[in-house]
Amino acid sequence: MNETRKHMYYLLEKMRELDSQIIAGENAKKDLKLLEEQFYELCGEAIEEDENARSLEN
């Protein structure tokens, strides 16, 4: 195998790695968005619980 072909295979492998990282990054963005939504829902629930607890104290 000549040097040009070795370099081509090396570049192809690097391209595959980067493509996998891009896909993983896109999946991570989706997962992060879901976690953020869950967090904000829980924040709302916590605020409601605090308000209910305060109204019962009064």
Side-chain angles (χ1 to χ4, degrees):
M1 184 179 309
N2 68 26
E3 289 301 312
T4 301
R5 291 200 184 268
K6 284 182 185 178
H7 193 66
M8 288 171 60
Y9 284 116
Y10 170 79
L11 292 176
L12 184 59
E13 187 59 34
K14 284 296 186 185
M15 290 165 56
R16 287 183 185 152
E17 283 179 32
L18 291 173
D19 189 50
S20 295
Q21 291 175 8
I22 289 169
I23 292 168
E26 291 170 351
N27 290 338
K29 281 183 182 180
K30 290 175 189 173
D31 292 345
L32 176 59
K33 184 172 181 162
L34 291 173
L35 290 175
E36 287 174 339
E37 290 172 3
Q38 291 174 359
F39 179 79
Y40 290 126
E41 288 175 18
L42 290 174
C43 286
E45 290 176 21
I47 290 170
E48 287 179 28
E49 289 174 2
D50 289 348
E51 289 174 349
N52 289 338
R54 278 192 217 122
S55 67
L56 292 175
E57 290 173 355
N58 295 329

